[in-house]
Amino acid sequence: TTLIKMVESKKLSFENVVTFNMDEYAGLSKESPQSYHYFMMNNFFNHIDIKKENIHIPDGMAKDVEAECIEYEKKLKEYGAISLFFGGVGVDGHIAFNEPFSALTSRTHVHALAEETIRSNSRFFGGDYTLVPKLALTVGIGTIMGADEVLIMATGHNKAHAVKEAI
């Protein structure tokens, strides 16, 4: 809400910003309230002055998710290096949907979610573990590490163990 208020008061502009979301669940439409597309549009992008053509989010409903990942990575490269990768960490230490021990050279790809991630994310699906998609499209660790700057944020006690183990 702080960034939205800053845009509303003309203290900040996203007019020339290009964004690439880090991930999306496979099999969820843009209209699904649990999709990251829906979340980002309704909680942020629809409230700021960003150009719609500058918003990039993997298509979880692509007929060929592998091809979608290849195209997403190509589109990222068209813009050159990512200036800032800003992401969070999961309770098991995953970044984007790269579960622990993901290849350090990986690029945007389809990734199977770990049981712990599925269990943790069931809170977004009414607590029903069976409704959580088992696959996600995600930027890879190699993609993230290619950014000029990487900022990973961890909030809450339940992520303290993941941060401790990373350090």
Side-chain angles (χ1 to χ4, degrees), residues 88-120:
V89 63
V91 295
D92 64 356
H94 71 260
I95 297 173
F97 271 129
N98 295 283
E99 299 291 359
F101 307 107
S102 292
L104 296 177
T105 59
S106 64
R107 295 293 178 185
T108 304
H109 62 285
V110 179
H111 201 86
L113 302 181
E115 291 297 315
E116 188 170 358
T117 299
I118 294 168
R119 207 171 16 261
S120 177

Side-chain angles (χ1 to χ4, degrees), residues 62-77:
K63 290 182 183 183
D64 183 342
V65 289
E66 297 287 347
E68 171 70 7
C69 291
I70 291 167
E71 286 303 311
Y72 199 74
E73 188 73 26
K74 282 183 188 175
K75 197 177 292 185
L76 270 162
K77 287 180 182 178

Side-chain angles (χ1 to χ4, degrees), residues 4 20 27 29 40 42 47 69 77 84-85 135 152 162:
I4 294 169
F20 284 85
S29 72
M40 291 300 297
N42 288 290
H47 305 284
C69 291
K77 287 180 182 178
L84 171 65
F85 177 86
L135 298 174
I152 303 297

Side-chain angles (χ1 to χ4, degrees), residues 19-57:
T19 68
F20 284 85
N21 268 47
M22 58 187 162
D23 49 32
E24 181 60 276
Y25 288 110
L28 289 189
S29 72
K30 297 175 182 179
E31 295 79 23
S32 172
Q34 291 81 18
S35 75
Y36 290 108
H37 187 279
Y38 182 95
F39 179 87
M40 291 300 297
M41 295 304 293
N42 288 290
N43 291 291
F44 190 53
F45 293 141
N46 287 339
H47 305 284
I48 60 172
D49 62 344
I50 192 168
K51 295 174 187 166
K52 299 302 179 205
E53 63 268 19
N54 287 350
I55 299 169
H56 305 284
I57 303 171

